[in-house]
Amino acid sequence: LPLLLEQFPYRTNVLKRTSSGEVVYIDLDSSIQRLTMFYYWSVDIGAFLSIATSYSAKRVGYWLSFLVPMIMYFFVIIAMLLIKPHLKPEIPQGSLLKKALLVVKTCLKGNFIKRLRHKQFWAYAFPSNMEARGVASEKIKWTQEEVKDYRITFTQCILFAYFVIFNIADVGLGSTLTAQAGAMSSKGIPNDFFNNFNAIVVIVTIPFLDYIFYPQLSKFKISFKRVHKVFVGFMFAAIASMVSAIIQWKVYETSPCGYYATTCDEPSPLSAWLEIINYGLCAIGECFCYTTGYEIAYTRAPDNGKSLVMAIFMFNAAISSAINEGITGALYDPNLIKPFAGVAGVGAFCAFAFLIQYWNLDETIEEEERERERLKQKQNSEMPLEVELMDLSCGSSSSKQL
């Protein structure tokens, strides 16, 4: 995704004259939003193709279900080689992580707990404050602007922690959804077939949001901020978990084995197609949550740390998977209603907590962007002076040689 977003030619809102002479306004935020949604839509186009692998594994063998993705990856390699000459090259700017860890190490010195309470934790590493404490300027390897960038980067780690809960609500705890489908009447359909409806709903929902829903909100001047999108996404995932809890209760009530339906030889008469309710609601939640999360991660990251921040965001999925693996052994009959209900409650709580904590998130991001723009303008205004001084220096040395 960072590679895709880096191809966008503008770094701020611009007015552009088209070939027809019309002047159009290009909004950076809307453009980044559309690109992230297009990216996520494309990913789910690929996920939708996994329907073929589900049936291949069931009716032919696992060798075919693994061969199909391998062939697809070969096409990806060819496509990347073909478009490489058309990509905008990015000059490596060095690792952000090494210098950031040095700044954090500096901030942890002294009474850092007191500074945390007074929201002065990062100010301790400002070069001006370090020089005032007697630190030699040549020992300081960073600028004040870089410290602010690191503050934003590490602050996002806290913001992204909410997505751990969303991921758990999105995919379910362990393999509970697949086990639930196995305890219902599927009429020969593979248990893992139904999760493909997640991709189908995403494929339908994203164009609807991009071409109908968001433009209508703009038309009626309704402010639908990033924090609102994440809140809505969390609520969809929480409702999906609650629906699964109700379905699990009905499975227990209708199964010939009662509350031990998962290992029962005879399935519940309930149709396994009810599973698509959960996958559909979670997919809608993803369209709000994940696309906004990608947008926040890219927009707030410093220029040389966009991949790192994106990696931090994706790392939350790994944490969610680890939690799922850790508690899988505790998920068994007759207690499968509680995990669904618990995830629904925690998901709804996190939705409101995120809404309250980051109510002014959009204003914060806008202020960060204005500060970066002021810094760039300051650097650009100083460059001609530096060039002029260099020219004068070269001229004086030449005169001495003459």
Side-chain angles (χ1 to χ4, degrees), residues 23-97:
V23 177
V24 295
Y25 176 75
I26 300 178
D27 183 77
L28 177 63
D29 291 339
S30 299
S31 301
I32 296 297
Q33 172 187 285
R34 172 164 286 189
L35 286 171
T36 53
M37 293 182 72
F38 175 77
Y39 166 81
Y40 198 70
W41 180 81
S42 302
V43 169
D44 279 271
I45 288 287
F48 174 68
L49 299 178
S50 63
I51 292 178
T53 61
S54 296
Y55 275 97
S56 298
K58 185 177 180 65
R59 300 186 178 182
V60 179
Y62 280 99
W63 67 269
L64 181 60
S65 63
F66 284 108
L67 178 64
V68 172
M70 185 184 74
I71 295 173
M72 296 298 295
Y73 274 114
F74 277 117
F75 284 112
V76 172
I77 294 172
I78 294 172
M80 293 300 295
L81 291 174
L82 290 175
I83 67 172
K84 182 181 177 181
H86 305 284
L87 296 177
K88 184 176 70 173
E90 288 296 324
I91 302 174
Q93 302 180 33
S95 174
L96 171 76
L97 187 59

Side-chain angles (χ1 to χ4, degrees), residues 162-390:
Y162 281 96
F163 284 82
V164 173
I165 303 301
F166 177 81
N167 292 331
I168 293 175
D170 184 39
V171 301
L173 282 172
S175 57
T176 48
L177 287 174
T178 302
Q180 187 179 82
M184 302 163 73
S185 299
S186 60
K187 300 187 184 301
I189 299 175
N191 295 346
D192 58 351
F193 169 80
F194 301 102
N195 61 11
N196 293 291
F197 280 88
N198 180 289
I200 295 174
V201 174
V202 170
I203 292 169
V204 174
T205 302
I206 283 184
F208 169 78
L209 294 177
D210 192 31
Y211 291 101
I212 299 176
F213 184 71
Y214 290 147
Q216 287 299 312
L217 291 180
S218 300
K219 180 180 178 181
F220 292 102
K221 301 185 184 304
I222 299 176
S223 177
F224 196 56
K225 300 179 180 180
R226 295 179 180 93
V227 65
H228 299 150
K229 295 175 186 177
V230 174
F231 171 78
V232 171
F234 265 83
M235 290 307 298
F236 268 108
I239 294 171
S241 295
M242 184 54 65
V243 169
S244 293
I246 296 172
I247 292 175
Q248 187 64 49
W249 171 68
K250 291 298 295 182
V251 167
Y252 281 155
E253 292 294 315
T254 57
S255 172
C257 300
Y259 277 64
Y260 294 87
T262 304
T263 56
C264 189
D265 294 332
E266 296 184 28
S268 165
L270 290 176
S271 174
W273 286 95
L274 290 172
E275 291 296 298
I276 67 174
I277 300 175
N278 177 286
Y279 290 114
L281 290 172
C282 285
I284 297 173
E286 290 175 16
C287 294
F288 286 103
C289 256
Y290 281 148
T291 55
T292 307
Y294 292 143
E295 181 185 347
I296 294 172
Y298 182 82
T299 303
R300 299 190 71 189
D303 291 339
N304 63 333
K306 294 187 182 299
S307 295
L308 174 63
V309 175
M310 195 68 68
I312 293 173
F313 176 69
M314 299 302 294
F315 180 66
N316 292 283
I319 296 176
S320 302
S321 298
I323 294 173
N324 280 334
E325 289 297 326
I327 64 175
T328 296
L331 302 176
Y332 51 83
D333 292 329
N335 302 314
L336 292 181
I337 299 176
K338 296 177 182 177
F340 288 118
V343 169
V346 174
F349 173 80
C350 288
F352 283 98
F354 187 92
L355 184 67
I356 295 170
Q357 184 175 356
Y358 295 103
W359 181 259
N360 296 319
L361 178 63
D362 276 48
E363 289 76 7
T364 301
I365 293 176
E366 290 173 3
E367 179 58 33
E368 292 169 354
E369 291 175 348
R370 285 194 294 268
E371 188 171 346
R372 286 198 184 103
E373 190 62 29
R374 286 194 296 266
L375 176 62
K376 290 179 181 179
Q377 291 176 357
K378 180 181 178 181
Q379 291 174 341
N380 292 335
S381 64
E382 291 175 351
M383 284 179 62
L385 179 60
E386 293 175 359
V387 173
E388 183 179 349
L389 290 174
M390 289 175 63

Side-chain angles (χ1 to χ4, degrees), residues 103-112 115-116 121 124:
V103 171
V104 173
K105 182 180 178 181
T106 301
C107 291
L108 290 174
K109 295 179 180 179
N111 192 357
F112 68 92
R115 294 197 304 274
L116 277 172
F121 178 77
Y124 192 77

